[in-house]
Amino acid sequence: MSTSGAAIGHDGFDFVRIPQHENEEHTIQVTPRSLSRRRTINHQLSSEIAMSQDAARFLCAGTAASVSSFLYNPLDCLRIRWQVAAPQAAEHGLLQYGSQIVRTEGLVSGLWKPGLAANVSGMFLSAAIRFTCYEEVRDSIVSSSADGTKNSLHMGAAGLVCGAFSYFVTAPFHLLKTLRQAEPVRPDINVSAKLSDVRNVLRGSAPVSMRGALFSCGQMLGYDGLKSTAKAHGFEDGPSLHLISSVAASFGASALSAPADLLVARYMSMASPGSLTAVVREIYDESGVRGFWRGWSVSFIRLTPVMITYSTVYEQLRYRSGLGYLN
């Protein structure tokens, strides 16, 4: 019986002899062109795999954000109305304020419908962009660091960069959502006029991007930070850890983004064009430095179920699509 083997031809090319039958050999000539073609095919396959993984991340993050923003839009609407309302209008407390809205306007009309379409659309795109980019940006920062070990600085920096970019791109959706939710409190707002003015939209994009950067920084410091620390101490990566990390993400995101949240709500609900400096001065004159965290408790209460829902759905979609849990 013949055996397969290799030899060098007279022109320097490799020959590989592969037995086709018991008493027969077949010779394949491996040329530089075939080797180049093989490398091209391998590169294309690697690119396609990377693209499919990015597409999976995009869809997983966007779908999870759409689900959570749809379910909890009433809490987001309540937060915006609470922040925009005059202090005397909300002086009896958040629960009584919300109950009054439900009694007079109804849950659906008063809190669920306002800004719902813009909120779902904006959060789908924003989360999809953020979480598609986050791991690559974070790992790039880690690889360029001295020790090459992931830490809180890398997570926070990646969150800032991805958050600022994604919220800037989707700013019109977030601005429309805020205007629609503030409209019942400020009926003098001309939503169409505000959004048709490109300069006004660009001015509003600055605080929205700042809010997105701080929000994502706090979210990833809480979620990725706690997950990484817990896994390093032997905790298993699974739903229980995702739930606990979601609460930490809610705390970090709401605490860091609270001042920017208030600025966006107040600035976009101004009846006439103004400046961010004027809004900052107004808030400070009303309540001092503590005034910039007005509504922070509402944001934390609102964000906790949102983060739990989002993170759980996102992690499970990742796992079932073959990406594995966020590492």
Side-chain angles (χ1 to χ4, degrees), residues 65-146:
S66 297
V67 171
S68 60
S69 58
F70 175 82
L71 291 176
Y72 301 110
N73 191 64
L75 293 177
D76 190 40
C77 187
L78 177 60
R79 173 184 66 86
I80 293 295
R81 293 184 64 160
W82 171 265
Q83 290 177 327
V84 173
Q88 59 271 22
E91 62 184 1
H92 299 297
L94 176 64
L95 291 179
Q96 187 171 345
Y97 183 71
S99 299
Q100 181 183 357
I101 294 173
V102 173
R103 285 196 307 270
T104 57
E105 303 175 35
L107 174 63
V108 175
S109 298
L111 294 176
W112 209 317
K113 285 176 62 177
L116 178 62
N119 194 13
V120 171
S121 302
M123 290 309 300
F124 177 93
L125 290 174
S126 175
I129 294 171
R130 274 187 295 143
F131 279 81
T132 300
C133 300
Y134 173 73
E135 290 175 88
E136 294 184 9
V137 173
R138 180 201 63 192
D139 294 344
S140 296
I141 297 174
V142 171
S143 62
S144 62
S145 63

Side-chain angles (χ1 to χ4, degrees), residues 266-280:
R266 289 284 189 92
Y267 179 75
M268 291 308 299
S269 62
M270 295 175 69
S272 57
S275 66
L276 283 174
T277 305
V279 177
V280 171

Side-chain angles (χ1 to χ4, degrees), residues 175-176 179-180 183 188-196 200:
L175 295 175
L176 176 59
L179 289 171
R180 290 300 186 196
E183 201 171 15
D188 54 334
I189 298 174
N190 190 331
V191 177
S192 299
K194 279 183 172 291
L195 291 179
S196 62
N200 190 57

Side-chain angles (χ1 to χ4, degrees), residues 39-326:
R39 286 193 293 266
T40 301
I41 292 173
N42 290 338
H43 177 73
Q44 290 175 343
L45 287 174
S46 299
S47 299
E48 289 175 1
I49 291 172
M51 289 176 63
S52 63
Q53 289 178 341
D54 287 341
R57 291 191 189 99
F58 189 93
L59 291 175
C60 290
T63 302
S66 297
V67 171
S68 60
S69 58
F70 175 82
L71 291 176
Y72 301 110
N73 191 64
L75 293 177
D76 190 40
C77 187
L78 177 60
R79 173 184 66 86
I80 293 295
R81 293 184 64 160
W82 171 265
Q83 290 177 327
V84 173
Q88 59 271 22
E91 62 184 1
H92 299 297
L94 176 64
L95 291 179
Q96 187 171 345
Y97 183 71
S99 299
Q100 181 183 357
I101 294 173
V102 173
R103 285 196 307 270
T104 57
E105 303 175 35
L107 174 63
V108 175
S109 298
L111 294 176
W112 209 317
K113 285 176 62 177
L116 178 62
N119 194 13
V120 171
S121 302
M123 290 309 300
F124 177 93
L125 290 174
S126 175
I129 294 171
R130 274 187 295 143
F131 279 81
T132 300
C133 300
Y134 173 73
E135 290 175 88
E136 294 184 9
V137 173
R138 180 201 63 192
D139 294 344
S140 296
I141 297 174
V142 171
S143 62
S144 62
S145 63
D147 57 358
T149 303
K150 181 175 69 172
N151 59 40
S152 298
L153 180 62
H154 304 141
M155 301 174 203
L160 280 172
V161 172
C162 298
F165 175 71
S166 63
Y167 272 79
F168 179 81
V169 172
T170 58
F173 291 99
H174 298 296
L175 295 175
L176 176 59
K177 183 269 300 182
T178 300
L179 289 171
R180 290 300 186 196
Q181 292 175 340
E183 201 171 15
V185 182
R186 298 292 303 274
D188 54 334
I189 298 174
N190 190 331
V191 177
S192 299
K194 279 183 172 291
L195 291 179
S196 62
D197 186 347
V198 176
R199 291 174 300 177
N200 190 57
V201 173
L202 290 176
R203 285 196 298 267
S205 298
V208 168
S209 299
M210 177 176 64
R211 187 258 182 192
L214 294 172
F215 180 93
S216 299
C217 177
Q219 178 185 12
M220 301 320 300
L221 282 173
Y223 191 80
D224 196 6
L226 183 58
K227 266 191 69 174
S228 299
T229 302
K231 286 162 61 179
H233 286 81
F235 284 84
E236 182 181 0
D237 193 355
S240 297
L241 182 56
H242 302 160
L243 189 149
I244 297 172
S245 300
S246 298
V247 179
S250 174
F251 181 85
S254 58
L256 289 186
S257 66
D261 261 336
L262 183 59
L263 281 175
V264 171
R266 289 284 189 92
Y267 179 75
M268 291 308 299
S269 62
M270 295 175 69
S272 57
S275 66
L276 283 174
T277 305
V279 177
V280 171
R281 188 181 300 111
E282 179 186 12
I283 296 172
Y284 182 80
D285 290 342
E286 286 178 0
S287 310
V289 175
R290 292 179 58 185
F292 290 95
W293 273 265
R294 174 181 170 82
W296 174 82
S297 58
V298 181
S299 294
F300 177 64
I301 294 170
R302 176 188 72 87
L303 271 179
T304 299
V306 171
M307 286 292 185
I308 290 174
T309 302
Y310 172 79
S311 300
T312 301
V313 174
Y314 175 61
E315 292 278 23
Q316 290 305 313
L317 288 175
R318 281 182 59 106
Y319 183 79
R320 295 181 184 280
S321 65
L323 293 173
Y325 294 138
L326 178 67

